[in-house]
Amino acid sequence: MHHNPISITGLSHIYGDGTQALQEINLAIAASERVALIGANGSGKSTLLLHLNGILEAQTGQINIGEWEMSAQHLKQIRNFVGLVFQNPDDQLFMPTVWEDIAFGPLNQGLAEPELTHRIQRAMAAVGLDFEHYADRMANNLSGGEKKRVAIAGVLAMQPQVLVLDEPSAQLDPRSRRQLIELLRSFPLTQLIATHDLDLALDLCDSTIVLSQGKVAFSGPTEQVLSNAAFLQQHALELPLCYGRPPCERVPCGPALT
């Protein structure tokens, strides 16, 4: 594993209409670190994520993913190294069955039987989907939480070193959200999680990056920034629920007590 699987220097991006989405971004994410990426709508979170596996090309600055500098010639290796899970699983799931969706990436990597089926079974087990029950199910008949698990399994089946998730808890009911948090906590992979769910960030991530108007406003310990009401307000963010209530009413932020 590389010491800093993601390293970004001086990254800026301006869209065709003149919108400055990112401005002089400098970041390094260490191996096995879980990092939250937070910011108000329009702060540049999604734009940053789309640079990490080459969907958007760097206009200025440099991106290093693992041992490769981001460039067209390294895209295949980088896309195997960084698994990107979109906010809406319907943007990711397009094959008729769960098996075919999860197999799509490994097949493109050239994987053949029997390793292909083993890889799919391992990925489904990792996200808590029973192979016998789900493999032949139609993806469009699944619940939101199940679809999210299939989307993550499809990425895991490609065996990436880094997992990048865009709003993973969006559209999930409270039980599915809690299961997702436990699931992400169980993965030893480096994770970058863009989220509006600041309680999830507090629960899951030791480090947090705050983007504000395309710039890094903060990069450091999660608890330090998410307990700072004045700073969050300044960047159009709210305290996590567990900080925003009187002590007697707080919901535990950490793992559920047993």
Side-chain angles (χ1 to χ4, degrees), residues 21-255:
L22 298 173
Q23 200 169 338
E24 285 292 315
I25 301 290
N26 297 297
L27 287 175
I29 294 174
S32 303
E33 196 176 14
R34 266 196 304 270
V35 179
L37 179 66
I38 68 173
N41 285 334
S43 60
K45 300 191 301 298
S46 293
T47 303
L48 179 59
L49 296 190
L50 293 175
H51 279 84
L52 297 181
N53 68 354
I55 294 174
L56 285 180
E57 213 173 302
Q59 294 168 341
T60 62
Q62 184 175 323
I63 303 170
N64 286 81
I65 304 292
E67 64 192 63
W68 305 282
E69 185 176 339
M70 181 69 73
S71 65
Q73 74 195 74
H74 297 139
L75 273 186
K76 185 175 181 186
Q77 295 98 318
I78 286 168
R79 287 174 177 168
N80 287 335
F81 192 87
V82 175
L84 178 57
V85 181
F86 293 103
Q87 175 175 344
N88 186 346
D90 291 330
D91 293 339
Q92 203 147 349
L93 306 179
F94 54 88
M95 300 296 283
T97 67
V98 167
W99 193 96
E100 290 168 290
D101 254 315
I102 298 171
F104 184 82
L107 280 170
N108 276 346
Q109 290 176 325
L111 208 63
E113 294 291 6
E115 178 57 27
L116 177 66
T117 294
H118 292 158
R119 184 88 67 89
I120 293 165
Q121 287 173 327
R122 285 197 298 270
M124 290 180 70
V127 298
L129 293 176
D130 178 69
F131 184 82
E132 299 298 326
H133 182 66
Y134 280 98
D136 295 324
R137 293 272 301 273
M138 306 289 283
N140 58 359
N141 291 336
L142 302 177
S143 72
E146 289 169 328
K147 285 181 179 180
K148 194 85 72 167
R149 286 168 182 261
V150 174
I152 294 171
V155 169
L156 290 179
M158 297 177 70
Q159 297 191 332
Q161 301 288 313
V162 177
L163 198 55
V164 174
L165 302 108
D166 192 4
E167 298 292 350
S169 63
Q171 295 126 22
L172 292 186
D173 61 55
R175 183 168 179 267
S176 298
R177 175 187 172 279
R178 167 53 59 190
Q179 289 172 338
L180 175 81
I181 289 172
E182 298 302 338
L183 184 63
L184 295 179
R185 187 180 279 121
S186 73
F187 296 151
L189 298 168
T190 305
Q191 295 172 45
L192 179 62
I193 303 168
T195 186
H196 284 294
D197 183 346
L198 300 193
D199 287 271
L200 175 144
L202 193 59
D203 218 352
L204 199 54
C205 302
D206 291 327
S207 301
T208 289
I209 297 159
V210 179
L211 281 187
S212 186
Q213 298 178 323
K215 297 178 181 176
V216 175
F218 175 88
S219 180
T222 298
E223 197 153 339
Q224 181 184 332
V225 68
L226 293 190
S227 60
N228 188 332
F231 179 86
L232 292 174
Q233 189 172 15
Q234 186 185 340
H235 296 286
L237 296 165
E238 301 282 328
L239 279 172
L241 287 174
C242 58
Y243 283 150
R245 296 175 178 170
C248 61
E249 297 176 14
R250 285 184 188 169
V251 179
C253 287

